[in-house]
Amino acid sequence: MIGCTCAVCTSSDPRNRRLRSSIWIRSADAGILVDAGPDFRTQALTQRIDRVDAVFFTHTHADHVHGMDDLRMFNFLQRRSIACYADEYAEANLRDRFAYIFNPRKDYPSTLPQLQLHRLDGSVSVGNIAVQPLPIWHGREPIMGYRFGDFAYMTDVSAIPDATWPLLEGVRTILIDGLRFSPHPTHMSVDEAVAVGERLGVERLWLTHMSHQIDIQTAHQFLPDWARPAWDGLRIALNP
Ligand SMILES: [Zn+2]
Ligand SMILES: [Zn+2]
Ligand SMILES: [Zn+2]
């Protein structure tokens, strides 16, 4: 956290230095990005992201969308536009906030990202990967998580609606918001995230979007042995 000198913020363990939450799925024939936050460029460089065929947005808070412009490098590399998916509110909000991309002036002086923004309507296939949207709550705002085979990603989640639980059936690994130990109005606490894992009977739970309350070296003391904090660069094998 900017300006903080606590043990986690000054830790020498690189896993305690966290960029904004995002994931990238890579199969033999496709690359899928979930969110493009302000750290996207750094993440693409450090994690050697080499392909983005589609971007799925969870919601439009600044920490999840303000790296949008850097997607244009993938237009140059792949020589085509990139499909982006968002729910109804997020789609309208992105068109408004990134009007220079989605409604450009004819005389805009530089090369813009070429993005085709689609409204989510059920599951989407990208290459051989099926992407299942998961409607979830972020405080009072409805947002999206996503399921890929037996893996589900739910960042910025505070509650899971009744209708979404069946969509999570059979999930074996979840990467889920666990902001801090105490409750928060728009994010799950560590205990709330673990309770989701217990209800689903997952084999593995990874926490994401953690605040500096969570020390990667001591967090295991507060977690069952199937749950751990994730870290930047963590790789998870998926079964699509
Ligand atoms: Zn701190
Ligand atoms: Zn958010
Ligand atoms: Zn966030």
Side-chain angles (χ1 to χ4, degrees):
M1 194 172 83
I2 290 174
C4 184
T5 56
C6 80
V8 172
C9 290
T10 57
S11 167
S12 58
D13 189 328
R15 296 173 305 161
N16 268 332
R17 266 173 244 138
R18 298 170 190 133
L19 300 177
R20 272 74 157 212
S21 296
S22 178
I23 60 168
W24 177 59
I25 313 270
R26 183 70 160 96
S27 69
D29 67 352
I32 300 174
L33 186 69
V34 181
D35 291 337
D39 298 318
F40 171 60
R41 182 172 183 275
T42 303
Q43 290 161 327
L45 292 169
T46 56
Q47 304 304 326
R48 304 201 173 282
I49 290 179
D50 64 352
R51 182 162 176 169
V52 176
D53 296 276
V55 184
F56 289 81
F57 288 102
T58 60
H59 65 308
T60 59
H61 288 168
D63 55 326
H64 297 262
V65 301
H66 279 190
M68 183 91 79
D69 201 77
D70 290 309
L71 288 167
R72 69 193 190 128
M73 275 313 299
F74 292 95
N75 294 135
F76 301 149
L77 291 168
Q78 297 162 191
R79 295 195 183 83
R80 54 193 162 82
S81 66
I82 296 170
C84 296
Y85 297 89
D87 67 16
E88 184 175 359
Y89 171 78
E91 185 211 349
N93 194 250
L94 290 172
R95 287 191 191 283
D96 181 39
R97 283 165 59 198
F98 294 90
Y100 79 97
I101 295 175
F102 297 114
N103 186 20
R105 283 169 42 167
K106 295 279 176 290
D107 58 347
Y108 193 85
S110 74
T111 309
L112 294 165
Q114 301 297 313
L115 308 175
Q116 300 299 324
L117 185 54
H118 304 283
R119 186 178 304 175
L120 280 167
D121 179 24
S123 79
V124 177
S125 285
V126 182
N128 60 346
I129 303 173
V131 185
Q132 171 64 55
L134 303 168
I136 50 179
W137 290 106
H138 184 17
R140 277 183 281 186
E141 195 178 326
I143 69 161
M144 286 293 169
Y146 294 100
R147 175 175 181 168
F148 309 84
D150 63 2
F151 170 79
Y153 179 56
M154 293 183 282
T155 189
D156 294 63
V157 62
S158 54
I160 299 173
D162 289 344
T164 295
W165 287 97
L167 301 175
L168 286 161
E169 226 166 81
V171 160
R172 298 204 307 204
T173 304
I174 54 173
L175 177 56
I176 185 168
D177 190 346
L179 184 76
R180 62 186 194 187
F181 293 108
S182 48
H184 186 279
T186 60
H187 293 266
M188 281 193 183
S189 65
V190 169
D191 287 349
E192 288 168 329
V194 168
V196 171
E198 270 165 2
R199 178 166 167 180
L200 291 172
V202 297
E203 290 167 19
R204 206 59 164 136
L205 178 151
W206 297 101
L207 297 172
T208 189
H209 218 297
M210 293 93 70
S211 77
H212 61 162
Q213 282 187 11
I214 314 292
D215 178 357
I216 195 102
Q217 294 187 339
T218 59
H220 64 273
Q221 296 167 11
F222 310 97
L223 292 167
D225 56 2
W226 45 270
R228 288 290 178 268
W231 58 89
D232 289 23
L234 172 69
R235 279 155 204 252
I236 301 169
L238 305 188
N239 302 302

